Amino acid sequence: MRIVFRCDPALADHLPRPVPARAILPDWLRSMPAKAHSEIHGREIRTVKQCPPFVDAMSHGFMILLPCDVTVRNGAFTWNWAIPEPSTEGHPRSPLSFHVPEQLAGAPFSNGLAAVKFNSFWTIELEEGWSLFATHPVNRHELPFRLVTGVVDSDRFTDAGINFPAIWSDPDFSGVLPKGMPIAQCFPVPRAAPDLVFEPFDEAHKAAYQQTVAEVLAGPGVYRKRFRAKRRHALPVSV
């Protein structure tokens, strides 16, 4: 999968580039213990740090990053971002804009506040037949917002940036959203609809099920050692 990012030439030296999600895993994941004592089990048990599906989800795809520091005080957002005037007409200069609350009317996540919209400074081009799935950085509940998930046909919509709306979820937050903070986790998905096939187990599938479950229950690391596909250490991108 080849992903091409483009930006206004006047801003090329001022923008953080999208990065593979695995490159900016959070500090809390790196520092959390691999095991913790369970009162129910009466022994040490593995934490989610040792759960490959949990970590692989956080490592999947690439992250769009906040292009500059944004200060949040009493519900107001401010920034001081000295960048050149974009050379492309209609191109944004501010890192944020907003959606009025009425645009979220009836949605269960609406909180009566305007939605924050993270402006995009990169266009994204995917290969034909693929769309871009954009969602909140996976398992990143410490962030004071929740991105609204969306899918964009980025094999066709390639000439303008994708903006990323988010619900501000922490009204008590006061501080700085740092430059380079992940705001959206993205990955290509095939646009073709899958064929759903439903079958009962035959004898071979029953035996395989029983054997796999027995092995998983017998000791740790079965999925990681036998079933987990090897991940590449970098996402192939072009800029």
Side-chain angles (χ1 to χ4, degrees):
M1 171 58 62
R2 183 171 182 264
I3 305 174
V4 181
F5 301 91
R6 298 184 180 92
C7 69
D8 185 284
L11 305 180
D13 295 332
H14 300 270
L15 300 175
R17 294 181 172 186
V19 296
R22 68 168 58 249
I24 54 170
L25 292 173
D27 291 339
W28 60 259
L29 181 62
R30 300 180 188 280
S31 63
M32 76 179 298
K35 293 184 178 181
H37 181 76
S38 167
E39 294 293 340
I40 292 177
H41 293 84
R43 57 179 172 83
E44 294 280 296
I45 61 169
R46 292 173 294 158
T47 68
V48 292
K49 186 174 185 175
Q50 294 197 61
C51 176
F54 180 87
V55 177
D56 287 346
M58 297 181 69
S59 306
H60 190 57
F62 61 89
M63 293 289 193
I64 301 294
L65 308 179
L66 189 66
C68 68
D69 288 352
V70 174
T71 299
V72 184
R73 293 280 188 273
N74 300 319
F77 297 77
T78 59
W79 52 88
N80 183 14
W81 191 25
I83 57 172
E85 185 69 29
S87 60
T88 308
E89 186 176 347
H91 197 285
R93 282 200 61 174
S94 63
L96 303 177
S97 53
F98 300 90
H99 287 294
V100 296
E102 289 76 12
Q103 290 179 276
L104 304 175
F109 48 76
S110 176
N111 57 9
L113 302 175
V116 176
K117 182 165 64 175
F118 294 104
N119 291 332
S120 174
F121 294 87
W122 294 95
T123 64
I124 303 172
E125 181 179 345
L126 300 182
E127 296 176 0
E128 184 177 352
W130 292 78
S131 298
L132 189 76
F133 192 101
T135 192
H136 186 78
V138 174
N139 297 325
R140 298 295 298 271
H141 296 279
E142 79 277 13
L143 298 174
F145 61 87
R146 292 293 177 271
L147 205 78
V148 178
T149 299
V151 174
V152 178
D153 294 339
S154 291
D155 59 343
R156 301 181 177 188
F157 187 82
T158 62
D159 296 326
I162 301 167
N163 296 323
F164 302 96
I167 306 303
W168 194 256
S169 56
D170 186 357
D172 298 323
F173 179 88
S174 181
V176 176
L177 306 178
K179 176 182 179 179
M181 179 189 74
I183 57 175
Q185 187 165 352
C186 305
F187 42 87
V189 292
R191 195 158 54 247
D195 292 326
L196 306 183
V197 179
F198 303 90
E199 299 176 341
F201 288 165
D202 58 19
E203 290 303 315
H205 285 104
K206 285 174 62 177
Y209 182 101
Q210 292 167 176
Q211 179 179 346
T212 301
V213 169
E215 291 175 355
V216 168
L217 293 177
V222 173
Y223 171 79
R224 177 177 56 82
K225 296 173 183 177
R226 288 188 49 199
F227 301 103
R228 182 173 181 253
K230 185 176 181 180
R231 263 60 176 175
R232 295 185 60 157
H233 290 296
L235 188 75
V237 298
S238 298
V239 180

